[in-house]
Amino acid sequence: MKRVLAAVASIAVLSLASAAHAAEKGALGVWDVVASTPDGPMPSVMTVAKVAGKLKAEVELGGVKREVSDEAIEGDTLKLKVLYEGVLYALQCKITGDAIDGTWEGGGNSGTLKAKRR
């Protein structure tokens, strides 16, 4: 019985690891992002890659690369923080195939964002 339980536990762990890997792989690539802001639409380009075994994102906004931190995948959602004009913005990007529907929040403001994979 203990062997059966150990085998089931091992399979469950491998399944979770496989699902996490698939979600991370789905986030990789170049994304054309448009955030809805109080000042109107704000386009940017987000590149997500695996660097030294870790998820790493770059965001180019207004022709300038912005500092990005805390990249993580939770389920089907990519979470990250972007520093823009001295304010740290938290993004949550739900990935469905080649599209993202997400939200952003920072500096007392919040809004939505959409993206398409290039």
Side-chain angles (χ1 to χ4, degrees):
M1 184 66 158
K2 287 182 181 179
R3 287 184 184 167
V4 171
L5 289 175
V8 169
S10 295
I11 291 169
V13 168
L14 289 173
S15 294
L16 288 174
S18 179
H21 177 73
E24 189 173 88
K25 187 176 178 183
L28 302 179
V30 179
W31 299 87
D32 290 312
V33 182
V34 178
S36 180
T37 77
D39 297 325
M42 182 177 284
S44 63
V45 176
M46 177 174 67
T47 303
V48 182
K50 191 100 176 223
V51 178
K54 294 185 178 185
L55 202 59
K56 182 63 186 154
E58 291 184 350
V59 174
E60 186 176 315
L61 180 60
V64 177
K65 286 188 180 177
R66 307 299 172 160
E67 185 178 327
V68 179
S69 61
D70 299 336
E71 300 94 326
I73 291 284
E74 292 182 15
D76 60 355
T77 302
L78 169 65
K79 294 183 175 187
L80 57 120
K81 294 182 180 169
V82 179
L83 187 63
Y84 176 68
E85 294 185 355
V87 177
L88 194 60
Y89 291 87
L91 282 67
Q92 293 194 33
C93 308
K94 182 175 171 152
I95 303 166
T96 307
D98 291 332
I100 287 176
D101 280 308
T103 59
W104 62 267
E105 183 177 339
N109 293 302
S110 63
T112 59
L113 60 88
K114 293 195 179 288
K116 290 186 180 181
R117 189 186 311 270
R118 281 193 179 171

